[in-house]
Structure formats: C-alpha cells, structure tokens
Amino acid sequence: MASDNETRDMFVEMASRLFSEQATREIINAFEKGTWPADLWRQVEEAGLPWAAVPESAGGAGGNIGDLMAVLREAGRNAVPLPLAETGLGAMIAGEAGLTPPPGPLALVISESSAPIRIAGGKVSGKARRVAFASVCDNIIVVSSGEVAIVAKAAVKIDARQGQTGEPYDDVTFDNAAASASASSKITPECALELAALARTSQMSGAADRILAITTQYAKERTQFGRSISTFQAIQHMLAELSTYVAAVAAAARTAARDAEEGDGSFAIWAAKTQASDAAHKICAIAHQSMGAMGFTYEHILHHYTRRLWVWRRDYGSESFWGAKLGRAMCEAGPDAMWPSLTSSKVAA
C-alpha cells in the first residue's frame, strides 16, 4: 500500500511521543550496563513502528520505506537503544520475499564481497563482524545474493562485543546453520546495504538535530562574566557553523529517503551517507567545544548522541566508502551526467 501524508504524520506523532516519554536517560544508561529495555520494546512493537514498511500480507502496516525512515529520524532524535533500523529493514526485506517475519527484535546481516555469507539448501554459512544487536535478538535476517533467510539465534555462534555507544556490535558465525525459512529475493546485498546506509543516515539526522538543540539551550542558560555565553561572538560563530552542518545532513537524509521512496535512490543515498558521516566529526567537535566539554560527563545527555554519531558514521559504509563509490560512478558517467544527477531528484525539482 502506498503511503500518504496522513499515515506518515501518524507514524511520526506516535514515535515522537513514545520515544520522548519512554526512552529516558535511565533506560539508555541501564541498557549500556546490560539491561534489555523489554517494556520499551513491547510498547514500540505494539505501536507497530518496526513494521512500518512491512507489507500487510506479511503482517506489517503496509507503509513504505519513507515511513520507516521518518520513524528512524525520531528514534535518532531520542537515542532509542533498540534495533529499530535492523528490525524494520530486515522485516521489510523478508516480507517482500514472501516470508512472514518473526515477532520480536531482529538483527540484520548483509553479505559482503570481502566476507560473503552463503545461503544454499536452507543452510547458511559464513562470518559477519560488527552485527548490531545480534546478541539481544532472537532471530537474524540474512541477505545474500538472490536469497534471504531467517536464522534463529540458537543456530549460530555469537561472540558478544560492545560498541562505543554501549550497544551490542557482535561477531556472528554461521556454521552451516539451518534457516527457519528462506526464499529468493529481488533485493540484492548491494541494495540492502544502500537501504541500511539510508537508515543510519536518517538516525544521524535526528541525533544531529537533538545535538543542536541541546547545545543551543546550554549556551542560553550558561552564564559567564555576568551574561549568557550565547551572547559571545565566538560561541555564536560556532553555533552558526553547527547549524549549517545539521541542516545539510537533514536535507541530504530527507532527499535520499524521498528518492528511495520513489524507487531510484542510489545516487541520493550515496551522497547522503557521505554527507552525514563527514559532518559527524564536525558536529560532535563543535557541540562539545561549545559546552566546554560538559557533555563528556556521564551525567549529561549529550554524549549519548555524539557517541552514536561517531559509531553510526562507520556503520554500513563510512564517508570514504560511499564517497569513493560516488566519485567512481560520476567519472564513469562523464561530465555531461553531473548536472542531471544533481538535479534529477524529485525533491530538488
């Protein structure tokens, strides 16, 4: 079912209210110490947010990729410690292949040319590194060449690791693991990687927006020499520069999501992930400097967002990976393709 503005607004309103009220600092801190936020996940699942882009025939909400990206922006804006991106994309890919996604959180493994994951005869083999949330999910969606499979966590070996965000980034070994279901899929690993990069870009856009809000509020409230530091020209310059980076990431993420929704988002996604990952360093540096490093303290909330930007920058391809891919494609297409590529987006039009 094609989405519409009313449906998207409903998803965003529901996600914004739920995340801001329930994804509290205490919940985020507890998850970093190993406590899975079961009640938060239950509420998110009951609201149908992970299934926003899953076909109705597979038990989903029947929305589209744009609806899921809108939900993920709100998740990033609230540092939600849940595998929403992985579950949303994995369930969508499985559903479009005719499989019924299992309930509960899902991890997502995408086969890479340098570390291929093979699916043959209902068995999965290979090793994947840095799989987000694998150790806290009951099932893993595996995307390989022309195939998608659902594998229970009990069928694989997981080496638990923790990322800089405090969230699991585990190594997963498939030793001829039996899939609970598998099917042929039109979504290639390359396409799945693009969608995953888009998901992270959407989360980064939300987190960057929150960082700007936190930093600006601090500058208004913090006084020095008898006046707010927001009145100092040096601080104003930093906040202005921070705003430009945040606005650029938001525009790139929004354009890429819209183009993906229209069915041809590769160019915009490559550019958006390059933009977001490149800006992540600058956004974090300016925010912490503007606050005199106050945001580094564990009691403050800023580090929950800046640490996520640092980690998400690398997830599903860094700015170097996507920038090189973008550059090669433009060189191969020739100079006449540059302007049409920049202006062909329906958002740009």
Side-chain angles (χ1 to χ4, degrees), residues 164 200-201 203-205 207-209 211-212 241-242 244-250 271-289 296 302-303 305-315 317-319:
Q164 198 175 12
R200 279 293 185 267
T201 303
Q203 291 174 291
M204 294 174 79
S205 173
D209 191 53
I211 287 171
L212 175 62
E241 186 179 6
L242 176 60
T244 62
Y245 291 127
V246 173
V249 172
K273 188 59 165 67
T274 303
Q275 173 73 60
S277 291
D278 184 60
H281 295 291
K282 304 178 180 82
I283 290 171
C284 296
I286 293 172
H288 281 294
Q289 187 177 5
F296 276 113
L302 181 67
H303 64 91
Y305 297 92
T306 53
R307 284 190 289 140
R308 279 170 171 75
L309 276 194
W310 282 320
V311 172
W312 290 344
R313 169 198 150 261
R314 179 184 169 192
D315 283 1
S318 67
E319 67 271 31

Side-chain angles (χ1 to χ4, degrees), residues 77-324:
R77 199 188 309 278
N78 291 278
V80 176
L82 295 174
L84 270 173
E86 294 74 13
T87 303
L89 287 179
M92 183 192 78
I93 294 170
E96 291 187 357
L99 302 176
T100 300
L106 302 172
L108 178 64
V109 168
I110 302 171
S111 180
E112 301 177 18
S113 57
S114 59
I117 306 293
R118 295 182 176 83
I119 304 173
K123 304 284 187 178
V124 182
S125 58
K127 183 170 184 176
R129 299 185 183 279
R130 292 188 76 249
V131 180
F133 295 98
S135 57
V136 296
C137 295
D138 292 331
N139 291 279
I140 302 170
I141 303 295
V142 181
V143 182
S144 186
S145 181
E147 295 274 343
V148 59
I150 302 172
V151 182
K153 183 174 70 174
V156 305
K157 177 188 175 187
I158 294 179
D159 293 320
R161 300 181 186 280
Q162 191 175 45
Q164 198 175 12
T165 59
E167 296 167 339
Y169 272 80
D170 311 301
D171 293 341
V172 180
T173 301
F174 301 88
D175 186 9
N176 222 21
S180 55
S182 64
S184 59
S185 174
K186 296 179 180 177
I187 298 180
T188 65
E190 292 76 17
C191 179
L193 183 64
E194 287 182 359
L195 294 176
L198 174 61
R200 279 293 185 267
T201 303
S202 298
Q203 291 174 291
M204 294 174 79
S205 173
D209 191 53
R210 184 64 185 278
I211 287 171
L212 175 62
I214 293 171
T215 308
T216 303
Q217 186 65 32
Y218 181 87
K220 289 178 181 177
E221 295 174 352
R222 178 78 166 87
T223 59
Q224 191 71 29
F225 307 117
R227 59 190 177 116
S228 165
I229 64 171
S230 64
T231 62
F232 297 153
Q233 194 173 44
I235 296 294
Q236 292 173 346
H237 283 169
M238 286 195 285
L239 293 179
E241 186 179 6
L242 176 60
S243 300
T244 62
Y245 291 127
V246 173
V249 172
R254 187 172 58 251
T255 301
R258 178 66 64 84
D259 284 3
E261 190 176 339
E262 297 290 341
D264 184 21
S266 292
F267 179 88
I269 292 172
W270 301 355
K273 188 59 165 67
T274 303
Q275 173 73 60
S277 291
D278 184 60
H281 295 291
K282 304 178 180 82
I283 290 171
C284 296
I286 293 172
H288 281 294
Q289 187 177 5
S290 300
M291 294 175 60
M294 180 62 71
F296 276 113
T297 59
Y298 197 71
E299 291 73 17
H300 204 279
I301 200 167
L302 181 67
H303 64 91
H304 285 304
Y305 297 92
T306 53
R307 284 190 289 140
R308 279 170 171 75
L309 276 194
W310 282 320
V311 172
W312 290 344
R313 169 198 150 261
R314 179 184 169 192
D315 283 1
Y316 305 118
S318 67
E319 67 271 31
S320 299
F321 175 85
W322 290 110

Side-chain angles (χ1 to χ4, degrees), residues 19-29 40:
F19 296 156
S20 62
E21 292 177 356
Q22 302 299 326
T24 61
R25 183 188 313 179
E26 290 73 21
I27 292 287
I28 300 170
N29 288 339
L40 176 59

